[in-house]
Amino acid sequence: MEDKITIIEGPPPVFEKVNDGWALGLNESPWLYDLTLTQVRTFNGPALVERCHRVWKEGMTMYLHYRDEMGIEEKAPILAARSVDSEDGQVLLLWTRQLPEVDENELDEGDDLDDEDEDDNDDEEDDEEDDDQDNSEVG
């Protein structure tokens, strides 16, 4: 069974974060993922949506296969699909699940906190050593 939709040509898809109430329900799981929407031009939108429905009916996962900006093959689980007609032809709307993007600023801030925690632990260890020395002198 075909469990993937492959983007053959054109630029990498643009994934937009989704905050719609009904769409957020698609992401119910014990892990945190970003729910995104991408639009892909196609010649056979209804057939691709039907393929998704067949895969989901079997209890399997449907994937969007594409190449990222660097040309590396990627895949994203498709959670919902819809085909719409536009002036330019058929467009396939795909709601996908992505790993959360990590902001470099968040990483930098986290690194600073870890360094401070280590410094605090060193200070505590020094205090304990001083206490041990004080106790040994009393005896």
Side-chain angles (χ1 to χ4, degrees), residues 17-18 27 32-36 79 96-102:
K17 286 190 177 182
V18 176
N27 201 22
L32 294 176
Y33 292 99
D34 287 339
L35 185 61
T36 59
L79 302 178
T96 64
R97 185 173 59 204
Q98 303 279 328
L99 290 175
E101 291 184 12
V102 178

Side-chain angles (χ1 to χ4, degrees), residues 15-16 18 20 22-24 26 35-38 56 62 76-83 92-97:
F15 295 99
E16 302 170 11
V18 176
D20 294 336
W22 75 269
L24 292 175
L26 295 171
L35 185 61
T36 59
L37 171 67
T38 189
W56 293 328
M62 188 69 170
I78 300 172
L79 302 178
R82 180 177 179 195
S83 178
L92 191 61
L93 304 176
L94 300 172
W95 286 265
T96 64
R97 185 173 59 204

